[in-house]
Amino acid sequence: MTESSRGSTPPDDGRPLRRDAALNRERILIAAREVFGRHGLGVTLDDVARHAGVGVGTVYRRFPTKEALVRALFEHDLAIRQKSAEDALAQPDPWQGLVDFLMRMTADLAENRGLHEVIMLGSHSSAPLETARGGMLPFLEGLIRRAQESGQLREEVTPSDIPVMVHMLSQASQFTQGRRPDIWRRYIEILLNGLRQRPDNPPLTTPSLGNELVEQVMGLVRPAPEPE
C-alpha cells in the first residue's frame, strides 16, 4: 500500500463509505499512482479504471474529474516533500541537509512522472496544490543560505537553481526510456561536485533564472501582461 493511500479513505464529501466503496476508492488511488507514475498525467480516467479493474462509472462516482483524482493523490505527496525539506533544515550539517533534500526530491520525481508534472509543471493543479508548491520556496532559501554561510556551497547558487537542477535530473531518467531509471544518481554526483565551494572554482558567467521566472515557468505565478 502506498503512503498516500494508508489509513481511512473518506469520500470527497466527508461521509463514511461502505466497505466495498472504500475498497474501490483505494484500488483506484493505487492504480492511478501506478499509471500516472509510469505515463504521466496525460492518461485518462478510463485508463485508470482499466488498470484498477473497475468500471469507468465507478471511477467517475469517486472522482468526477481528473483534477479531483490528481488532488486526492498528490496533496499527501506534496506534504511529504515539505516534511523532507523541514528535516533537511534540521540537519546539523548544512551541506548534508541540502544533499539529503536534493537526493530525496530527485528520487521522487525521477521515479514518478505524474508527481514530476504536478510539482514542476503545475499540471492539473488546484488551489491546495498551488499553496503546497509555492510553500517550498522558503525552505529552499533556508537550505541555500545555511549551506552558503557554512562555506560549503558556492556563493553564486540561488534558490531558483534548485528546481531547474531537479528537473534536469529527473529528465535524465526519462531519457533512458526505462532502461536506466537510476541514471540520475550519476548526474547528481556531477552536479554536487559543481555546487561545492572550492578556492579554485572559476566564477559562473551565466546568471540564474531568478525566482520570478522559475515561478512563472512552473505555473506558480502568472506573467505580467504586456503593455499595450
Side-chain angles (χ1 to χ4, degrees), residues 8-198:
S8 61
T9 52
D12 298 328
D13 61 6
R15 293 176 298 174
L17 286 173
R18 299 190 319 272
R19 178 172 175 77
D20 59 339
L23 289 174
N24 279 338
R25 186 176 191 275
E26 191 89 352
R27 186 181 302 167
I28 292 165
L29 286 171
I30 292 172
R33 177 172 294 279
E34 293 172 355
V35 174
F36 288 156
R38 190 176 304 121
H39 303 292
L41 301 182
V43 299
T44 66
L45 292 186
D46 291 38
D47 296 321
V48 173
R50 191 177 304 112
H51 193 68
V54 301
V56 67
T58 301
V59 175
Y60 279 97
R61 278 194 295 274
R62 299 275 69 84
F63 305 100
T65 64
K66 185 191 289 189
E67 286 73 18
L69 178 55
V70 168
R71 175 177 171 180
L73 192 60
F74 290 113
E75 273 187 353
H76 185 59
D77 288 88
L78 288 172
I80 293 173
R81 306 292 85 71
Q82 184 165 319
K83 179 62 167 58
S84 173
E86 292 172 354
D87 292 343
L89 280 174
Q91 163 66 246
D93 182 340
W95 172 257
Q96 191 58 50
L98 178 61
V99 171
D100 289 347
F101 176 79
L102 286 173
M103 293 290 288
R104 291 171 187 161
M105 178 66 83
T106 304
D108 290 339
L109 270 59
E111 296 167 6
N112 189 326
R113 187 171 173 181
L115 182 62
H116 175 271
E117 292 178 10
V118 165
I119 290 181
M120 302 306 300
L121 307 179
S123 301
H124 295 280
S125 198
S126 64
L129 293 181
E130 289 304 289
T131 299
R133 290 202 310 141
M136 292 299 296
L137 183 59
F139 291 105
L140 294 182
E141 291 173 340
L143 289 168
I144 295 295
R145 183 173 59 253
R146 289 177 74 234
Q148 287 175 336
E149 290 175 351
S150 72
Q152 300 177 85
L153 177 66
R154 301 180 67 129
E155 290 297 322
E156 306 102 316
V157 176
T158 70
S160 67
D161 291 320
I162 303 303
V164 179
M165 287 189 291
V166 171
H167 180 69
M168 290 165 53
L169 291 165
S170 58
Q171 287 297 106
S173 293
Q174 297 294 327
F175 176 74
T176 68
Q177 299 183 19
R179 295 179 178 89
R180 284 288 305 278
D182 65 338
I183 193 62
W184 66 267
R185 296 182 182 276
R186 172 180 175 84
Y187 295 107
I188 199 172
E189 290 181 38
I190 296 173
L191 284 177
L192 289 172
N193 283 329
L195 289 172
R196 266 194 181 278
Q197 177 61 44
R198 294 184 177 87

